Amino acid sequence: NAGVTQTPKFQVLKTGQSMTLQCAQDMNHEYMSWYRQDPGMGLRLIHYSVGAGITDQGEVPNGYNVSRSTTEDFPLRLLSAAPSQTSVYFCASRPRTGGANVLTFGAGSRLTVL
Amino acid sequence: SQQGEEDPQALSIQEGENATMNCSYKTSINNLQWYRQNSGRGLVHLILIRSNEREKHSGRLRVTLDTSKKSSSLLITASRAADTASYFCASGGGGSNYKLTFGKGTLLTVNP
């Protein structure tokens, strides 16, 4: 059981480039989310999804796009990277029903934008 | 804005001592959770306390919740060097409120 898998682990981009951070989970979790972690800022919610075809914005959605075509995958797209998007990105998931909203996290993707 | 705020930001203790971290939040909650993050890793869930509970134990962890003060504390007893990590509180409405809001974390260093 792999849990939540994020790729790539590290990425360096130039300003203006685009890329996609991949997130996949094999736990059949309906809810998936993306957070970014910056020093002194804790984790901030970017986007989340409560099921295939449904996405919504979190606290800091600007500059990021998401889609949810399958239950397993929730990619995060940066259309035109900016230095302010240098951060560590975490994908997390949980079941939609049953139990509390306890999240299972991926190992993170460290992105540097030059 | 961040709902949970941990205090202190950093804590350094000797092995065998107890470590206490505090968390404050701003709005009504369904439950409050604590997560641990080892350096360079993702967060791992430690313990959850519901809004109708005042105290909860799990191994060497003890969590308290005071909803009147909108605060929680995490106590790690008999700390070990392996407990060195960042600890985050997270609050959420639960149920159909899927968002979980994290604090900025407490960096705990346990010296051997």
Side-chain angles (χ1 to χ4, degrees):
Chain A
N1 192 344
V4 178
T5 302
Q6 290 183 232
T7 56
K9 286 184 167 40
F10 301 94
Q11 183 71 49
V12 178
L13 290 178
K14 294 181 180 178
T15 297
Q17 287 185 319
S18 63
M19 78 156 300
T20 299
L21 298 177
Q22 302 290 345
C23 176
Q25 52 88 13
D26 60 0
M27 298 171 285
N28 203 31
H29 285 174
E30 293 90 345
Y31 176 81
M32 297 184 74
S33 56
W34 277 101
Y35 288 86
R36 61 176 288 173
Q37 183 177 32
D38 302 292
M41 298 294 292
L43 279 80
R44 293 181 290 171
L45 182 63
I46 305 172
H47 284 286
Y48 66 98
S49 168
V50 299
I54 306 170
T55 64
D56 206 346
Q57 296 181 349
E59 183 185 354
V60 288
N62 292 341
Y64 307 95
N65 280 352
V66 292
S67 60
R68 185 91 180 272
S69 57
T70 67
T71 299
E72 295 77 20
D73 301 299
F74 190 44
L76 179 71
R77 297 184 185 86
L78 286 73
L79 298 180
S80 179
S84 61
Q85 293 178 304
T86 293
S87 186
V88 181
Y89 292 84
F90 289 97
C91 180
S93 70
R94 60 161 275 215
R96 183 173 182 178
T97 59
N101 47 347
V102 173
L103 294 172
T104 299
F105 280 83
S109 297
R110 183 177 294 274
L111 174 66
T112 301
V113 183
L114 303 175
Chain B
S1 62
Q2 289 288 319
Q3 172 150 243
E5 295 288 340
E6 290 90 345
D7 170 58
Q9 291 186 337
L11 179 61
S12 182
I13 60 174
Q14 295 300 122
E15 217 168 17
E17 294 180 338
N18 296 341
T20 300
M21 290 159 267
N22 303 297
C23 167
S24 61
Y25 58 93
K26 297 177 182 176
T27 62
S28 297
I29 59 171
N30 178 275
N31 64 72
L32 188 134
Q33 304 173 34
W34 286 88
Y35 288 77
R36 164 188 169 135
Q37 183 182 34
N38 288 85
S39 181
R41 301 289 188 91
L43 280 73
V44 176
H45 179 256
L46 291 176
I47 192 167
L48 176 149
I49 185 165
R50 299 185 188 278
S51 59
N52 61 353
E53 298 176 312
R54 292 297 168 259
E55 188 171 312
K56 197 164 184 179
H57 296 253
S58 177
R60 293 184 295 113
L61 304 180
R62 189 191 104 182
V63 172
T64 62
L65 180 64
D66 187 336
T67 53
S68 67
K69 296 181 179 178
K70 291 187 169 57
S71 67
S72 173
S73 67
L74 172 67
L75 169 68
I76 303 175
T77 60
S79 63
R80 306 165 182 168
D83 294 328
T84 294
S86 291
Y87 292 82
F88 295 86
C89 69
S91 55
S96 61
N97 182 354
Y98 299 99
K99 299 179 185 180
L100 202 57
T101 302
F102 287 81
K104 297 178 181 179
T106 292
L107 175 59
L108 172 66
T109 302
V110 181
N111 301 299

